[in-house]
Amino acid sequence: MSEARTDYAIKQDWSAYSEEEHAIWRLLFERQQRLLAGRACREYLDGLEGLGVAAGGIPDFRRLSDILDRATGWRIVAVPGLVPDDVFFAYLAARRFPSTCFIRRRDQLDYLQEPDVFHDIYGHVPMLMNPVFADYMQAYGEGGLKALRLGHLAHLARLYWYTVEFGLIATPEGLRIYGSGILSSAGESVYCLEDPHPHRLRFDLRRVMRTQYHIDRYQETYFVIDDFGQLFAATRPDFAPIYHEIAILPDIPAEAVLPEDRGYAASRPGIRARKKEGPRVSTARV
Ligand SMILES: [Fe+2]
């Protein structure tokens, strides 16, 4: 980036990617494709197919943006890395998705703390092909600008974390993944559905906003939505009274379960056609 711009937008410079960088994309793509069949939600898989994102190499953002724009009016903006909150929210509110351009190194295939182009494009952009989710992301951006003004960003950030990044959805075939942080992680794609350790709790807006999270390990708790309409409906009310209501309540540790939580059991590996709702969970630890 030769000069600083207040919107942090840069040029992707697709022709500058090396063969090694495209090869890393292929490795990541092919590994996730094998894992996500029967684990990712239909909306994500449809979006991926509709965009034509494939194993060939790192996609050209301009080509993806044209397809995305025709589907839901979103476009991708190349940025150098994480951007300040106000810039990020303003992009989402304008139906622009800020995506990093660089790809992780070969020795970072399994874990990278910061987002790279594989996480942003493979993980996030296919969901933006879905009209309801696309509207949810715009509403989130508008809500983010408001939360900044009200001083409640920490509460709203948890909603993003537990939905956009690490959300699960209940389908007639069982739990499926729609969160981008999971979709771009080989280990967590399996762990989130099949490991007996994490809690899988029914989505509740106030519960989510009060729940802490760890950024450096797999999640202790996942929240499960019934459909994307439910998620969008949850963002429709004015959050100001909700922030006011939860401000006096304690935060909930990432691993805690409350008496009123409703849980879902882990999927068993190889069994994809059963929705299993677990018993009422009642191990209060807060
Ligand atoms: Fe992300």
Side-chain angles (χ1 to χ4, degrees):
M1 191 167 51
S2 56
E3 58 190 55
R5 289 178 49 160
T6 52
D7 63 4
Y8 291 80
I10 59 171
K11 195 168 169 292
Q12 183 192 20
D13 200 5
W14 186 81
S15 59
Y17 287 117
S18 67
E19 247 324 295
E20 168 65 1
E21 288 172 317
H22 285 302
I24 290 170
W25 173 279
R26 278 195 289 279
L27 266 176
L28 290 164
F29 183 93
E30 285 169 355
R31 181 170 69 168
Q32 282 311 98
Q33 287 298 100
R34 283 194 296 275
L35 288 170
L36 293 183
R39 292 192 175 97
C41 69
R42 183 183 47 76
E43 290 82 353
Y44 170 80
L45 296 170
D46 287 350
L48 193 66
E49 195 182 335
L51 281 168
V53 170
I58 299 168
D60 184 329
F61 291 0
R62 287 171 304 184
R63 191 186 66 78
L64 290 191
S65 285
D66 289 344
I67 300 169
L68 191 55
D69 200 350
R70 283 196 294 277
T72 58
W74 277 76
R75 296 192 72 82
I76 301 160
V77 178
V79 292
L82 289 171
V83 297
D85 292 327
D86 59 331
V87 176
F88 180 67
F89 293 137
Y91 271 134
L92 297 189
R95 293 174 97 84
R96 295 289 179 273
F97 185 74
S99 172
T100 46
C101 301
F102 80 98
I103 194 154
R104 67 195 74 184
R105 298 190 312 264
R106 203 171 274 265
D107 62 348
Q108 298 171 314
L109 290 188
D110 291 330
Y111 182 70
L112 190 67
Q113 192 160 318
E114 56 187 324
D116 72 343
V117 69
F118 186 74
H119 168 77
D120 282 337
I121 298 298
Y122 183 88
H124 281 284
V125 175
M127 286 304 302
L128 293 172
M129 289 285 280
N130 178 267
V132 180
F133 193 83
D135 287 348
Y136 172 68
M137 286 287 274
Q138 179 185 359
Y140 182 86
E142 290 161 355
L145 292 170
K146 189 170 173 184
L148 271 178
R149 289 195 301 273
L150 297 174
H152 280 277
L153 195 55
H155 288 127
L156 191 73
R158 290 167 179 164
L159 178 63
Y160 190 87
W161 186 265
Y162 282 117
T163 61
V164 178
E165 294 290 358
F166 292 97
L168 298 180
I169 183 167
T171 77
E173 293 78 37
L175 298 184
R176 293 290 183 270
I177 306 162
Y178 74 90
S180 310
I182 310 173
L183 292 164
S184 59
S185 161
E188 197 153 0
S189 298
V190 177
Y191 168 90
C192 72
L193 295 177
E194 291 161 27
D195 194 286
H197 176 76
H199 309 302
R200 299 166 184 85
L201 306 178
R202 188 181 292 273
F203 176 87
D204 176 272
L205 181 67
R206 288 164 179 76
R207 171 71 162 88
V208 169
M209 285 185 168
R210 291 176 55 204
T211 306
Q212 297 167 333
Y213 57 83
H214 304 294
I215 64 164
D216 57 352
R217 64 193 88 157
Y218 295 163
Q219 302 307 300
E220 299 279 355
T221 296
Y222 298 93
F223 289 95
V224 181
I225 60 168
D226 291 326
D227 55 59
F228 293 109
Q230 176 199 19
L231 193 55
F232 186 50
T235 57
R236 211 166 287 152
D238 179 7
F239 281 179
I242 299 173
Y243 293 145
H244 187 69
E245 187 187 316
I246 63 178
I248 55 166
L249 299 172
D251 283 348
I252 302 170
E255 69 282 5
V257 174
L258 306 180
E260 61 270 29
D261 285 334
R262 291 295 304 255
Y264 292 78
S267 304
R268 275 186 285 160
I271 296 182
R272 294 174 183 162
R274 291 176 63 193
K275 178 183 175 184
K276 291 172 61 186
E277 185 157 350
R280 195 179 169 90
V281 183
S282 59
T283 334
R285 279 187 265 165
V286 288

